[in-house]
Amino acid sequence: MSANHGPEGQQTKHQPQTYDSAFLKACRREPVPHAPVWFMRQAGRSLPEYLKVREGIPMLESCMRPELVTEITLQPVRRHKVDAAIYFSDIVVPLKAIGIDLDIKPGVGPVVAEPIRTRADLDRLRDLTPEDVSYVTEAIGMLTAELGGTPLIGFAGAPFTLASYLVEGGPSRNHEHTKALMYGDPQLWADLLDRLAEITSAFLKVQIEAGASAVQLFDSWVGALAPADYRRSVMPASVKVFDAVAHYGVPRIHFGVGTGELLGLMGEAGADVVGVDWRVPLDEAARRVGPGKALQGNLDPAVLFSSREAVEAKTDEVLAAAAGLEGHVFNLGHGVLPTTDPDALTRLVEYVHTRTAV
């Protein structure tokens, strides 16, 4: 299936030159000239040029300035020569866009003024329209013009992770309010996730129609669940999101943290590529996910604080575990840590490219 046309013939704004990129080939499980590399959180706080352009600008405001988004998204592509760009935003942007009173507090994360915990609260989650996030369309248009043959990955937060922020009121270690709602009022929980699936789908559609060549669904907190709870209470909403964008024909990536026990189910939810954190070797992850999916990952981000020789040795372990995969996108097992030396990332890209060159 073309990355530029869905099965129904829908034309999207992808740059034709990205179709044969190493990244999209790997996502489609096709032969590649080298293992493609990109990093979660590659655009952001580890880069001095990012800190400079963001100085004095609140996080959510920075996500709504197309010129700033474009510059930040391009910075790691210029510096590291990664094989894909990831759109600079935050998973709560669509919630802010529909009027939810929230803010991203430095050192804390997203904080919601009035948590959503009752049926009446659902009325605050209205549909997302393209007009709500017109700055996203504008920024992606600017980015695809600059990126040329480098694909742009759009992204969104998965329904469970968005729900956990909304129900808890902010980041949570134990997700006690979230689980209390999920177990105590399963119908309200299902309706909440279904509403969030609609919002997430709309946000991804905006990005794809503006020119994103792939999308990633981040389910950052879903590793807090047992497989049976995931299948019953979360998977239907994730399936709805992946189904909603299937007709565009762009690769769909699914990633969560601490999801070793959920990898097979996350693949079943509809992803073309399953992201794997550093806890599960890629060959074992492939066994759990099953055939027909590419994998993404999975160097421990903390390894980058070690010596160059240690980084290369651990990278070799990842590449050896990926040797038999149908498709492999090299990434970290989670996002770039804030105090990571940017030069270590640049060297890692070059090392992976060299080691895997055909």
Side-chain angles (χ1 to χ4, degrees):
M1 183 186 299
S2 168
N4 300 316
H5 294 81
E8 298 167 10
Q10 181 164 356
Q11 178 74 44
T12 55
K13 297 179 182 178
H14 308 118
Q15 303 297 313
Q17 61 265 43
T18 67
Y19 183 79
D20 287 325
S21 64
F23 169 72
L24 289 179
K25 279 177 172 286
C27 290
R28 298 193 302 263
R29 295 176 286 122
E30 297 173 0
V32 291
H34 56 78
V37 186
W38 73 279
F39 304 119
M40 289 177 280
R41 290 186 182 153
Q42 65 185 18
R45 51 199 179 169
S46 66
L47 298 181
E49 56 265 42
Y50 166 81
L51 298 174
K52 183 176 180 180
V53 298
R54 268 284 320 278
E55 191 172 3
I57 305 173
M59 177 62 186
L60 281 172
E61 183 182 338
S62 71
C63 296
M64 299 174 189
R65 296 189 184 184
E67 292 85 359
L68 185 58
V69 168
T70 299
E71 168 60 21
I72 292 170
T73 302
L74 290 172
Q75 285 175 349
V77 180
R78 296 190 200 110
R79 181 189 272 263
H80 303 315
K81 305 297 189 290
V82 285
D83 294 281
I86 177 82
Y87 183 74
F88 176 76
S89 186
D90 189 273
I91 63 171
V92 299
V93 162
L95 299 179
K96 183 73 171 181
I98 62 170
I100 297 298
D101 186 358
L102 61 81
D103 194 15
I104 298 176
K105 295 192 175 180
V108 179
V111 176
V112 179
E114 297 178 46
I116 288 181
R117 295 177 186 170
T118 69
R119 181 156 295 279
D121 291 332
L122 287 184
D123 294 336
R124 289 153 53 199
L125 296 173
R126 67 167 176 82
D127 290 342
L128 178 81
T129 69
E131 291 71 32
D132 292 322
V133 287
S134 58
Y135 46 85
V136 173
T137 300
E138 184 178 349
I140 290 180
M142 296 166 67
L143 276 165
T144 52
E146 290 282 339
L147 284 166
T150 302
L152 176 67
I153 304 167
F155 82 93
F160 175 82
T161 292
L162 294 180
S164 71
Y165 279 120
L166 288 171
V167 175
E168 299 291 339
S172 172
R173 184 181 299 273
N174 299 309
H175 307 282
E176 54 265 39
H177 295 294
T178 304
K179 290 184 177 182
L181 178 59
M182 183 175 72
Y183 297 136
D185 194 340
Q187 188 57 57
L188 175 57
W189 172 260
D191 293 344
L192 170 60
L193 259 66
D194 189 69
R195 186 74 58 88
L196 291 170
E198 294 280 357
I199 293 165
T200 297
S201 299
F203 191 52
L204 290 178
K205 287 177 180 178
V206 166
Q207 295 174 71
I208 295 169
E209 291 180 5
S213 295
V215 289
Q216 175 158 310
L217 193 66
F218 283 88
D219 216 345
S220 308
W221 303 126
V222 79
L225 296 182
D229 290 330
Y230 177 86
R231 181 184 286 280
R232 177 178 55 249
S233 302
V234 174
M235 190 170 164
S238 295
V239 168
K240 183 172 183 175
V241 173
F242 285 124
D243 284 352
V245 298
H247 66 282
Y248 292 108
V250 303
R252 299 158 296 169
I253 311 168
H254 202 5
F255 174 76
V257 185
T259 52
E261 298 299 319
L262 305 178
L263 288 172
L265 293 171
M266 291 176 71
E268 279 184 47
D272 304 297
V273 184
V274 177
V276 184
D277 75 9
W278 68 92
R279 296 169 176 87
V280 181
L282 288 174
D283 48 357
E284 171 60 18
R287 188 189 68 77
R288 297 182 188 186
V289 171
K293 309 285 183 183
L295 296 187
Q296 178 175 280
N298 69 340
L299 184 71
D300 185 342
V303 168
L304 289 163
F305 290 82
S306 190
S307 67
R308 183 169 184 166
E309 292 75 20
V311 172
E312 292 178 356
K314 295 299 287 185
T315 300
D316 286 342
E317 289 180 16
V318 172
L319 294 176
L325 301 183
E326 297 180 65
H328 176 225
V329 176
F330 188 95
N331 206 315
L332 302 180
H334 196 198
V336 174
L337 297 169
T339 53
T340 303
D341 177 3
D343 290 341
L345 291 166
T346 304
R347 289 194 298 268
L348 179 56
V349 175
E350 183 180 9
Y351 185 76
V352 173
H353 284 171
T354 301
R355 291 287 285 173
T356 60
V358 176

